[in-house]
Amino acid sequence: MKKRKIICIIMGGGRGSRLSPLTRDRCKPAVPLAGKYRLVDIPISNCLNSGYNQIYVLSQFNTASLHRHIQESYKFDPYAGGFVDILSAEQTNKGDTWYQGTADAVRQNMHHFQGHSEGDLYVILSGDQLYRMDLADVVREHDASGAEVTITAKPLGLDEAEGLGLMRVNEDLEVTEFVEKPTDPEVIKGLAVGQNVLNKMKDPGGRGYCLASMGIYVFNANTLIEALKTDTTDFGKEIIPGLLGKSKMCSYVFDDYWEDIGTVKAFFESNIRLTDPVPPFNFFDEEARIFTHARFLPASKINSCIIDRAILADGCIVTDAKIKHSTLGVRSVVREKSELENVVMMGADNFETMEDIEDNLQQNRPNFGVGQHCVIKNAILDKNVRIGNNVVLDPTGLPDNFGPDVDIAIRDGVLVVCKETIVPDGFVLKA
């Protein structure tokens, strides 16, 4: 009997405008996370930890760094049949357009997947979420329910659900209704879940909940193929609602930490929360590790510092500085008498040599990292930034989209210093 295929497809997203300017030079899945990872490592690791190693990542904008990261990070035994492949939009005899949406991206690549046999499954995942999920358990429930499509759903309080795609389910968790991003509190209240959903939750307490789609789906192969024969372009807005009443759709209730990192604010807050004594997401889980590129860097070096709730990745050098509630990415350098508070620093792609430092001096250019006597708060410092001495960066009290140039901007109340930006000595940005 032929072994069933379970093919995982990770949606890399479009231009990533909500995460701009972090996506100015890279696609969303390639954005650094938690000091040493990339966003794409989360769904890939969930797949691998669930026993699924046939993985495709669909993307079309600024994919160079994503290609490099995946090629360096995910190498498989050739006899195991595993792979992580990136499929970008391409010109063919059938068409030459960009991906028009999530469903269109899958449609354009169906000839690559070869998962068309009876019993084969497609697992569709997002590339910009932070969560840990046993996808094998989702598949088990999918099979047990006899569903043709399973939609993972997050129980949210009735006061948290505005602006999200919500669903109604019956006693068997079969989806009977979708409501796209309701804003009327009475409509949301009418979608409150019953005891069958509450029984799936760890500690529901006495409050009311509704079910929000997480944008993670399990499709029977034949069901997906038929659904994509239309000209619809998006799963959440068109494919899934269009199958209501035609195909059996069930929900999988996921009652654990989940964060959609689609905006600068969400990205910033998710990283900062990781510095809590007991963070909502656990990168220290030995049973379900998050995989990434093995860089073989030296341990971080900390000299005469005051550090309170921080994450320091490999290869950092921090000297006589104060670091509070911040994450420092690989090869981050913070120099004497500088203070970082609520900062996501992504680090650098390489260490500078003595020759580099001498050249910087001749060019009157700061070295990689943060210089001396700087104060930086509520900020994201992208890769390879050069911040001089006596610099002050604090967006508090300043309006969104304020900025002296395109390389330094404020988004969602967070100051963003773009990749490879040079901030000269004495530069001050504060209210």
Side-chain angles (χ1 to χ4, degrees), residues 5-169:
K5 287 184 179 180
I6 297 180
I7 297 169
C8 299
I9 304 172
I10 298 171
M11 310 308 303
R15 292 185 181 275
S17 56
R18 293 189 305 153
L19 257 179
S20 177
L22 299 177
T23 51
R24 187 181 68 176
D25 301 311
R26 58 168 81 89
C27 56
K28 277 197 295 185
V31 173
L33 173 74
K36 61 181 292 183
Y37 304 93
R38 303 285 184 124
L39 282 176
V40 76
D41 291 327
I42 302 301
I44 290 177
S45 297
N46 280 320
C47 293
L48 296 177
N49 289 326
S50 302
Y52 306 144
N53 63 358
Q54 297 187 20
I55 305 166
Y56 296 91
V57 181
L58 309 189
S59 189
Q60 61 184 341
F61 293 102
N62 293 327
T63 60
S65 63
L66 180 66
H67 276 265
R68 185 167 57 250
H69 174 74
I70 287 179
Q71 289 168 356
E72 292 174 346
S73 304
Y74 300 100
K75 297 179 174 65
F76 294 85
D77 180 341
Y79 301 103
F83 58 82
V84 180
D85 280 354
I86 301 175
L87 297 176
S88 297
E90 59 185 357
Q91 291 185 333
T92 68
N93 291 330
K94 295 182 179 180
D96 58 359
T97 61
W98 291 98
Y99 299 150
Q100 302 302 304
T102 53
D104 184 61
V106 174
R107 179 187 296 112
Q108 290 194 35
N109 287 289
M110 286 301 292
H111 60 289
H112 291 299
F113 303 143
Q114 301 175 349
H116 303 161
S117 301
E118 186 71 29
D120 289 350
L121 297 178
Y122 286 92
V123 181
I124 313 292
L125 307 108
S126 173
D128 58 358
Q129 299 174 352
L130 180 59
Y131 65 103
R132 181 180 276 107
M133 180 185 291
D134 183 0
L135 298 170
D137 192 53
V138 184
V139 168
R140 281 191 291 270
E141 282 206 15
H142 175 84
D143 290 338
S145 67
E148 296 171 77
V149 184
T150 293
I151 306 165
T152 62
K154 172 73 175 172
L156 294 174
L158 297 178
D159 58 343
E160 302 173 309
E162 183 176 333
L164 297 172
L166 306 180
M167 67 185 78
R168 190 190 306 278
V169 297

Side-chain angles (χ1 to χ4, degrees), residues 294-305:
R295 296 177 177 85
F296 307 107
L297 290 172
S300 290
K301 185 174 177 62
I302 312 300
N303 306 303
S304 303
C305 296

Side-chain angles (χ1 to χ4, degrees), residues 61 84 120 132 175 180 221 227 332 365 384 387 419-420:
F61 293 102
V84 180
D120 289 350
R132 181 180 276 107
V175 180
E180 180 67 17
S332 289
R365 177 177 59 199
N384 301 331
I387 295 179
K419 186 178 180 181
E420 298 180 354

